[in-house]
Amino acid sequence: MQRIDERWNDAAQARAISWAEARGEALPATNRVLRNTYVLLALTLAFSALTAGAAMALRLPHPGVIITLVGYFGLLFLVHKLANRASGILAVFALTGFMGYTLGPILSAYLALPNGPAIVMQAFGGTAAIFLGLSAYATISKRDFSFMGGFLFVGILVAFLAGLGAIFFQMPGLSLAVSAMFVLLMSGLILYETSQIVRGGETNYILATVSLYVTIFNLFTSLLQLLGVFNGEE
């Protein structure tokens, strides 16, 4: 019996050591993905702001819904195709630069309004507060938000289709409702994506960066529209 107990204890200790070693290896990898994601995200946001500023300075027109969708989904496909290569980083900058260009004319239209600059700053501040607050909560608490994945996917798909309907059928009320939905959905997506990175569910920082960038972009534009309506500018 004593030998059996000793063998059992040895096996338990071996499993504990193995688990600790595996966790010790996983933590640096997770921290590396998190660090690379936020560094690349900061760079792409800066590049997107640069292309938006260039579009505003050159007074470029908005490319329209069709070109925007084709460009977005085409570049998004390219990012996923090159996600495991160094060239994937260039694809990320191409996507975020294009999205920045589409944002430029929108910002120009808002800034031309009497209360436009205040609306833009409020949307920017609200986006930053929501993103930083929810990201910090998901990182510090390390809670598992993977259960939200299915709900978020369906919700975003429904909101996207509703948004297209609001544009093509010119339904301002539906468009406002879609913007409110996107604020809630993007907030949930921040928790979900950050949780995936922290818990090791997302190991590709290129894909993680694109996901968070799109979340921030949609959150900002949705807040911009909501604040424009609430301030009586739309």
Side-chain angles (χ1 to χ4, degrees):
M1 287 294 293
Q2 184 177 0
R3 291 184 177 180
I4 294 176
D5 290 341
E6 290 176 352
R7 290 177 181 176
W8 176 264
N9 290 333
D10 290 342
Q13 290 177 0
R15 286 195 298 270
I17 292 173
S18 177
W19 181 85
E21 290 177 347
R23 182 172 176 80
E25 293 176 357
L27 284 176
T30 299
N31 292 337
R32 184 168 59 253
V33 173
L34 188 63
R35 181 181 65 251
N36 290 344
T37 297
Y38 281 111
V39 169
L40 184 57
L41 180 63
L43 293 174
T44 53
L45 287 173
F47 182 66
S48 187
L50 182 64
T51 56
M56 294 169 64
L58 296 174
R59 297 182 179 180
L60 298 178
H62 193 276
V65 177
I66 302 300
I67 294 178
T68 298
L69 291 177
V70 171
Y72 169 70
F73 284 110
L75 290 170
L76 187 63
F77 173 79
L78 182 63
V79 169
H80 279 79
K81 188 176 180 62
L82 301 176
N84 295 313
R85 306 177 189 176
S87 54
I89 297 178
L90 296 178
V92 173
F93 278 99
L95 172 61
T96 56
F98 174 75
M99 296 307 293
Y101 154 60
T102 65
L103 183 61
I106 297 175
L107 291 176
S108 294
Y110 274 93
L111 291 174
L113 299 173
N115 201 30
I119 294 173
V120 172
M121 291 306 299
Q122 289 170 7
F124 176 79
T127 301
I130 292 172
F131 176 75
L132 293 176
L134 294 178
S135 294
Y137 176 72
T139 302
I140 296 172
S141 69
K142 293 183 172 57
R143 288 188 58 185
D144 185 6
F145 290 98
S146 60
F147 66 91
M148 300 172 63
F151 168 77
L152 290 171
F153 175 79
V154 174
I156 291 171
L157 180 60
V158 171
F160 174 73
L161 294 176
L164 289 180
I167 293 173
F168 289 114
F169 295 104
Q170 298 183 355
M171 303 171 65
L174 179 58
S175 179
L176 185 63
V178 169
S179 294
M181 287 177 61
F182 262 108
V183 170
L184 295 176
L185 290 168
M186 293 303 106
S187 298
L189 194 57
I190 291 170
L191 289 172
Y192 173 80
E193 287 295 338
T194 307
S195 172
Q196 288 292 97
I197 299 172
V198 172
R199 297 178 65 85
E202 177 60 81
T203 58
N204 189 304
Y205 71 92
I206 289 179
L207 295 180
T209 298
V210 169
S211 180
L212 289 176
Y213 172 86
V214 172
T215 300
I216 293 172
F217 183 93
N218 286 324
L219 182 60
F220 175 73
T221 53
S222 298
L223 284 175
L224 197 61
Q225 183 173 8
L226 289 173
L227 290 170
V229 172
F230 292 150
N231 282 272
E233 298 292 355
E234 290 190 358

